[in-house]
Amino acid sequence: MAKIGDEIGVVGALVRSAFLVNAVYAESAREYGITPQQGQLLCVLMAKPYGMGELGATLRLAKSSLTGLVDRSERNGLVRREPDPQDMRAVRVALTTEGARLAEEFYVETCRRVADLAGDLSTEERGALASLLGRIVLDNEVPMVFLEPPESR
């Protein structure tokens, strides 16, 4: 619980809040038997299958790192490579049935945990926080790496 005199600046607040969300994400991933990177991959793929280039750009991963992540996730039965209907030389990465089930469970639980971080804020404060952070995210063109939960819109 914040006390008077505990105020921090915008840089500290953003860095520490990113650390906090990453810690929640990592804890949730660990409980589901996946890495945080696999959790992020699954959440991105919930929206649709992605080509490797588009997926690398979205996750901001180098080609070799992305290939390793997809390989490990494929070995675990969470994703599959499929031909790209627009380019027969390329592949898309899609969730398997098991991957989609795990992604949904992981997503719902992670949303709950992240929402709980703002549990003590009033409705107005939550709206102000969402508006300000939303502007920062949009102004910096952060890719859609996590679907917007319906109740937070």
Side-chain angles (χ1 to χ4, degrees):
M1 186 69 65
K3 300 179 291 287
I4 295 178
D6 284 350
E7 291 83 20
I8 59 176
V10 68
V11 172
L14 285 171
V15 170
R16 290 171 71 182
S17 64
F19 181 84
L20 181 60
V21 170
N22 285 336
V24 167
Y25 208 87
E27 179 182 334
S28 189
R30 191 171 36 258
E31 290 177 16
Y32 282 88
I34 57 177
T35 66
Q37 294 78 17
Q38 286 174 320
Q40 193 172 44
L41 174 66
L42 295 179
C43 287
V44 166
L45 293 175
M46 285 177 72
K48 64 176 183 164
Y50 279 82
M52 290 291 280
E54 186 182 17
L55 192 55
T58 299
L59 293 173
R60 296 184 176 168
L61 290 175
K63 186 176 181 179
S64 61
S65 297
L66 177 63
T67 299
L69 175 60
V70 171
D71 286 348
R72 287 186 301 280
S73 300
E74 189 173 37
R75 277 194 305 272
N76 291 337
L78 303 174
V79 303
R80 69 178 178 281
R81 289 176 168 94
E82 57 187 31
D84 186 323
Q86 272 74 47
D87 182 354
M88 295 315 293
R89 299 166 297 168
V91 296
R92 295 186 321 173
V93 179
L95 293 173
T96 62
T97 302
E98 175 62 17
R101 182 198 59 76
L102 182 64
E104 179 68 23
E105 290 178 14
F106 172 77
Y107 170 79
V108 168
E109 180 60 19
T110 303
C111 285
R112 184 194 63 74
R113 292 177 185 197
V114 171
D116 284 352
L117 297 175
D120 290 340
L121 298 180
S122 70
T123 301
E124 294 77 22
E125 289 170 325
R126 290 169 77 95
L129 179 63
S131 177
L132 293 170
L133 289 174
R135 279 179 43 202
I136 291 170
V137 165
L138 294 174
D139 288 351
N140 287 280
E141 300 177 3
V142 177
M144 178 67 76
V145 294
F146 203 80
L147 296 175
E148 187 68 23
E151 69 279 353
S152 69
R153 289 186 186 141

